[in-house]
Amino acid sequence: CDVKRDVLFFVVDNMNKGKDLKLDRGQMTQLARLNLQAGNKAISTSRFHSAAEYLQTGISLLSKDSWIQQYDLTIQLYDAALEAFYTAGQFSKFDAAVKQPLTHAMCFEDKLNSYHNLVRYLTASGKSEEALETCLSVLKKLGEEIAPNADIKSLLAEASCVKQMIRNSSIDDMLDLPKLKDS
């Protein structure tokens, strides 16, 4: 509902104006959660610059030990912030933020959204080879190894070919395809 969304933005905007007042740890955590909610709502309505501001504010409210004490909130804020920074074209903020979850996330699965956005960022920055190397590294960690003698240009060409083939396919079409079997 638009009214509910607008009230959330209004409340969070006003609370953020008072964030420099003496807030206790619990109040700062609650305000960080509200900024996460507002950031996610802004992303869902394609307000990426606003989302980036809310999520950056939420991150700034985290404690120094948030990766230990507030892990779920911290990973959620960084995941959403990376999406917003990338989509809003705030690449310097993206570049600074992406290192945090890649360094501090407790498990590989919690790093996947960061890797996804990192690959998008590298590709948009014209760093296709670095993006591909990152993809290969992630695939290896997921148990899918690409032949070491495969050259980057061949892999990029193959990826482009696959992209062309699936361009006009829906997700349902792809889900209906038969499963591949190892030969």
Side-chain angles (χ1 to χ4, degrees):
C1 181
D2 287 344
V3 173
K4 197 174 185 181
R5 182 191 66 222
D6 291 341
V7 168
L8 174 66
F9 292 145
F10 176 78
V11 168
V12 174
D13 287 340
N14 282 298
M15 291 182 74
N16 283 343
K17 288 177 185 173
K19 75 178 179 358
D20 294 328
L21 301 173
K22 292 280 185 186
L23 298 178
D24 65 34
R25 174 60 25 219
Q27 291 169 320
M28 290 176 77
T29 298
Q30 186 58 34
L31 185 53
R33 286 185 200 289
L34 288 170
N35 275 279
L36 174 61
Q37 283 183 317
N40 284 333
K41 285 282 186 198
I43 287 172
S44 73
T45 58
S46 301
R47 297 177 182 181
F48 299 109
H49 288 281
S50 295
E53 287 181 39
Y54 288 122
L55 297 162
Q56 182 69 51
T57 299
I59 289 170
S60 75
L61 292 164
L62 295 171
S63 64
K64 290 184 187 341
D65 64 351
S66 67
W67 285 104
I68 297 166
Q69 299 298 324
Q70 303 160 306
Y71 182 80
D72 289 339
L73 174 61
T74 303
I75 198 74
Q76 289 172 16
L77 276 165
Y78 274 96
D79 279 350
L82 291 174
E83 173 75 19
F85 294 154
Y86 170 78
T87 309
Q90 297 178 358
F91 295 138
S92 61
K93 288 183 179 181
F94 178 94
D95 199 37
V98 74
K99 295 172 181 93
Q100 291 297 311
L102 294 178
T103 302
H104 298 290
M106 291 182 184
C107 64
F108 183 72
E109 288 76 16
D110 287 347
K111 296 179 183 186
L112 286 175
N113 284 333
S114 297
Y115 277 122
H116 169 75
N117 283 306
L118 176 59
V119 168
R120 292 170 63 201
Y121 162 74
L122 291 170
T123 304
S125 301
K127 300 176 184 174
S128 296
E129 287 193 27
E130 191 177 340
L132 186 56
E133 288 171 9
T134 302
C135 287
L136 293 174
S137 170
V138 169
L139 285 172
K140 185 175 183 178
K141 290 175 184 172
L142 291 171
E144 294 295 326
E145 201 146 348
I146 305 295
N149 58 350
D151 66 293
I152 299 294
K153 288 183 180 159
S154 297
L155 293 172
L156 287 172
E158 187 66 26
S160 178
C161 182
V162 169
K163 191 174 182 180
Q164 284 290 89
M165 289 171 42
I166 65 171
R167 180 160 290 171
N168 295 321
S169 300
S170 70
I171 291 175
D172 289 334
D173 292 338
M174 287 186 259
L175 290 173
D176 289 339
L177 292 171
K179 290 186 178 183
L180 292 175
K181 297 179 183 175
D182 289 335
S183 48

